[in-house]
Amino acid sequence: MRVLLTGGTGFIGSHTAVELIEAGHQPTLIDNFSNSKPAVLDRLRDITGTDIDFFEIDVRDEQALEELMNVRSFDAVIHFAAPKAVEESVRRPLHYYQNSVGGTATLCEVLDRHDVRNFVYSSSATVYGMPEELPVTEDSPLSVLNPYGRTKLVCEYLLEDLHTSDSRWNIVSLRYFNPVGAHISGLIGEDPQGTPANLLPFISQVAVGRREFLDVFGNDYPTPDGTAIRDYLHVTDLAEGHVAALDHLATSPGYDAINLGTGRGRSVLEMVHAFERSTGGEIPHRFVGRRPGDAAEVWADVSKAERVLGWTADRTVDEMCTDAWRWQSMNPDGLPATA
Ligand code: UD1
C-alpha cells in the first residue's frame, strides 16, 4: 500500500516507517520538524537500505497538502502529527487545538477531495482519564483531564462523525498505552527536546549521565510497591500494530477504536530496576510527591487488538530497556540538530 505518514519523523512515526517498509508498503513521510530532526531521515535510510520519500509539510497547511496529493497518490494515511505534552497543553491550549484538531480537520478535507479515506489515527489511553475499572477496555468510560487529552478525544469524535456522514471513510483510532524502547539498531529512538516529561526518556538520561537522579512521583499509591503502574509497550510492537491496522482497514470497513498495550501493568520501580539490569549500573532516584493528574494504575485490556487485528505486543520489558539504552548510549545527546 502507498501510505502517507504525518509526523513521520517523530518517535512512533519513524518506527512505523521502518515496519511499513519491511512489510512491503511504500510510505511517504511528512513532518514540520516541530518535535523531531531531519537527521532521522538519514537514520531511516541506514536502517532500511532504501530512499525515504519525505516532504517538509505542516498538516495545517492545506495548500501544501494539496500540492502533495497532486504528485503522490495514497491508499491510506496514518496520522501521527500532533504535539503531546500534557503540561505544555495546559499553558498553550490554542496551540494544541490548532495543531491536533485543526490539523486533523484540514488533513481530512484534503484527503476527501482526493478520495483517500482509509485512515489510522494516533490516539492515546489518555482518553480514559483516571480509569475506574481495570483493565481498561474500549468501552470503559471516557474522561479527559487536560487540553492534550481533550484534543485526542475531540479528534476521535471528529473521525467517528466523519464516518457517520460518509461511510466510505474507514477509520481506526489506536489508543496507545505507554510506548517505550527504541529500534533494535540503536539508530532511532525517543529524542525529547528539553527536559523529558515521560518516565523512560528521563531514566535513560539519568543512566547516560545527563541528569543526576530520577524523581519518582509518589510512593504512596495503593500498589504493591507504592509507585504508580502503567502498561509499557515496545515502540516496535506498536509500529507493527499500525501495519496490522492498515491490513484490517483493507478488509473491514467502518469506524473503530482499539487499545494497543501489553495488557500488563508495571510500576515505576519495576521499570527502574529493569533499566538497571540493562545498563548494569544504578539509576539514582528519590521519592517526591505525586504528579497532579496521575492515575494510580492504568493498563489495557488488549483482547480486542488480538481479536480484530491479530496483533499482540510480545517484546519483554528487558527488550524495551535494553533497546532504549542502546539508543541512548549510542546517541547520548540525541540526534544532531542538522543532518
Ligand atoms: C503521560 C500523560 C499522558 C500521555 C503520555 C504520553 C500525564 C498525566 N499523562 O502518561 O496523557 O498520553 O504521557 O505522552 O502527564 N514518572 C515519574 N518520574 C518522572 C516521569 C514519570 O515517577 O520523571 C511516573 C509518572 O508519575 C507515571 C509513570 O512514571 O506514574 C509514567 O509516566 P509518563 O511516562 O509521563 O506516562 P503517563 O503519565 O502514563
Side-chain angles (χ1 to χ4, degrees), residues 84 86 124 126 148 178 197-199 202 214-217 228 230 232 268 291 293-294:
K84 59 159 194 173
V86 171
S124 165
T126 197
Y148 163 71
N178 290 66
N198 299 112
L199 179 65
F202 204 106
L214 167 75
D215 281 340
V216 176
F217 299 142
R230 294 290 181 276
Y232 298 92
V268 174
R291 183 170 65 179
D294 271 352

Side-chain angles (χ1 to χ4, degrees), residues 21-60:
I21 291 169
E22 286 182 0
H25 296 290
Q26 294 113 45
T28 294
L29 281 56
I30 64 172
D31 209 299
N32 65 357
F33 296 125
S34 60
N35 194 26
S36 62
K37 297 174 187 150
V40 171
L41 296 166
D42 295 331
R43 299 296 179 89
L44 289 177
R45 246 169 249 131
D46 291 346
I47 292 170
T48 62
T50 61
D51 276 342
I52 303 298
D53 194 34
F54 175 80
F55 295 83
E56 187 170 346
I57 293 177
D58 187 310
V59 283
R60 292 167 298 177

Side-chain angles (χ1 to χ4, degrees), residues 67-330:
E67 284 164 15
L68 173 68
M69 300 289 170
N70 289 332
V71 296
R72 291 284 184 281
S73 46
F74 298 108
D75 304 302
V77 179
I78 308 180
H79 179 35
F80 297 105
K84 59 159 194 173
V86 171
E87 186 268 335
E88 183 193 41
S89 78
V90 176
R91 285 186 285 109
R92 304 180 67 197
L94 292 176
H95 179 71
Y96 275 67
Y97 280 91
Q98 265 176 359
N99 276 273
S100 271
V101 181
T104 301
T106 302
L107 176 65
C108 288
E109 294 235 30
V110 177
L111 293 173
D112 198 45
R113 285 201 285 271
H114 292 265
D115 293 318
V116 184
R117 298 190 190 82
N118 291 318
F119 196 99
V120 178
Y121 179 60
S122 179
S123 190
S124 165
T126 197
V127 298
Y128 300 114
M130 298 264 193
E132 280 162 25
E133 50 183 56
L134 290 165
V136 178
T137 76
E138 289 80 358
D139 298 323
S140 292
L142 302 176
S143 96
V144 279
L145 304 169
N146 51 62
Y148 163 71
R150 275 191 270 278
T151 57
K152 285 287 163 196
L153 191 53
V154 168
C155 286
E156 285 201 12
Y157 286 140
L158 180 162
L159 295 167
E160 194 172 356
D161 290 341
L162 191 57
H163 168 73
T164 306
S165 74
D166 180 347
S167 60
R168 290 175 302 171
W169 277 93
N170 297 318
I171 302 171
V172 61
S173 293
L174 299 178
R175 295 175 177 161
Y176 313 151
F177 282 67
N178 290 66
V180 299
H183 189 260
I184 193 165
S185 63
L187 292 174
I188 55 172
E190 197 164 4
D191 188 9
Q193 319 295 304
T195 308
N198 299 112
L199 179 65
L200 258 284
F202 204 106
I203 292 180
S204 306
Q205 292 194 4
V206 172
V208 84
R210 277 171 70 179
R211 300 183 190 273
E212 233 178 302
F213 45 78
L214 167 75
D215 281 340
V216 176
F217 299 142
N219 63 343
D220 58 350
Y221 284 106
T223 60
D225 66 20
T227 65
I229 290 178
R230 294 290 181 276
D231 184 339
Y232 298 92
L233 78 159
H234 197 294
V235 64
T236 301
D237 281 327
L238 183 60
E240 289 171 355
H242 291 76
V243 180
L246 281 183
D247 295 341
H248 164 71
L249 281 184
T251 54
S252 315
Y255 175 85
D256 223 340
I258 302 177
N259 288 343
L260 297 187
T262 63
R264 279 207 50 185
R266 297 175 200 276
S267 74
V268 174
L269 282 182
E270 279 179 83
M271 296 310 286
V272 168
H273 295 141
F275 214 92
E276 288 176 337
R277 284 197 296 279
S278 296
T279 63
E282 215 191 310
I283 305 292
H285 56 277
R286 62 176 189 184
F287 297 110
V288 298
R290 296 181 181 189
R291 183 170 65 179
D294 271 352
E297 300 180 79
V298 186
W299 72 85
D301 181 317
V302 290
S303 52
K304 186 170 178 182
E306 193 168 353
R307 193 177 68 249
V308 174
L309 304 179
W311 170 91
T312 50
D314 295 327
R315 289 174 176 81
T316 63
V317 165
D318 285 330
E319 286 173 279
M320 299 176 207
C321 294
T322 303
D323 291 341
W325 176 234
R326 186 179 305 107
W327 149 254
Q328 189 70 63
S329 47
M330 284 169 63

